[in-house]
Amino acid sequence: MVHPPVLPIVRDSRMEIQFLLNAEYSNDDLHSDSKKTVIDENLGEQKRAQKKQLWTQEESDMLEEIVARNGPRAWHVLAKDFPNRSPGQLRSHWKHCMEIKESKRPFSPEEDAFIVLECSRIGTSWSQIARKMHKRCDIHVKNRYKHIMRRFQRNQNTSSPVSSIA
């Protein structure tokens, strides 16, 4: 009877390095899913691990006030006033929820024609098309274009007679 060769036990050095790097944590802390405080060496301050959470009305009001004062740019600077929000979260909330309050009006037939014309001229660069329109968000322009095209397709399909094969 032939026995397979016995392989030596190899220790994973990555785990040892992980324990050395996280010496302030106990073994239980390393394997728990709880929210941990991480020290950022470059900033010298404590940051909380970010978790998805809904925006409160106070946060929205504060963001609106700060953007009104400083303008919608330099999100990394504005994020200093929001300890649990990243610059990307601020920009996204501003761009998709708050800035477009005035753009929730219905599209006019002139705007529809402009969207179709610009899309055929420059392509589907929604942000460029939205910049040429008054108070319209690029996502709304894209969604409106898709709505126009679906309606056009539906009208094309219903207006053409269906030939039956006998």
Side-chain angles (χ1 to χ4, degrees):
M1 174 180 225
V2 178
H3 295 286
V6 177
L7 297 174
I9 297 175
V10 179
R11 295 183 61 158
D12 190 1
S13 61
R14 292 176 294 177
M15 286 303 291
E16 292 177 10
I17 292 172
Q18 185 71 23
F19 285 117
L20 291 174
L21 292 175
N22 296 311
E24 68 268 13
Y25 297 122
S26 69
N27 191 20
D28 293 336
D29 289 340
L30 289 175
H31 298 293
S32 69
D33 292 333
S34 65
K35 201 174 189 182
K36 296 178 182 61
T37 301
V38 180
I39 298 177
D40 188 347
E41 300 296 330
N42 297 332
L43 299 176
E45 62 187 25
Q46 290 184 351
K47 289 188 171 184
R48 296 297 250 151
Q50 292 178 356
K51 170 179 137 176
K52 288 185 179 182
Q53 55 188 356
L54 294 176
W55 281 80
T56 63
Q57 186 60 42
E58 293 81 25
E59 284 179 317
S60 294
D61 294 341
M62 189 172 154
L63 180 61
E64 193 168 13
E65 177 186 322
I66 290 172
V67 169
R69 203 174 12 177
N70 301 320
R73 59 186 171 275
W75 296 105
H76 63 282
V77 175
L78 301 179
K80 291 179 182 174
D81 294 329
F82 295 87
N84 294 328
R85 300 289 181 185
S86 69
Q89 287 174 318
L90 294 180
R91 182 190 175 280
S92 177
H93 186 65
W94 174 258
K95 191 82 178 148
H96 302 298
C97 298
M98 300 181 69
E99 180 184 45
I100 57 175
K101 284 180 184 174
E102 297 175 11
S103 75
K104 298 221 178 199
R105 67 188 188 282
F107 280 85
S108 68
E110 293 82 18
E111 286 178 316
D112 289 347
F114 180 78
I115 291 171
V116 171
L117 177 71
E118 286 297 305
C119 190
S120 66
R121 193 172 67 79
I122 64 174
T124 57
S125 181
W126 306 118
S127 59
Q128 287 182 5
I129 296 171
R131 270 188 238 125
K132 296 178 182 180
M133 301 176 77
H134 180 68
K135 299 281 186 183
R136 292 294 186 186
C137 177
D138 54 349
I139 292 176
H140 288 161
V141 171
K142 176 193 72 151
N143 290 342
R144 183 60 182 183
Y145 177 77
K146 291 188 176 204
H147 173 75
I148 294 167
M149 290 296 111
R150 276 194 308 268
R151 190 174 60 195
F152 178 74
Q153 290 285 335
R154 197 174 330 120
N155 289 342
Q156 290 292 349
N157 291 340
T158 59
S159 65
S160 64
V162 177
S163 61
S164 62
I165 301 175

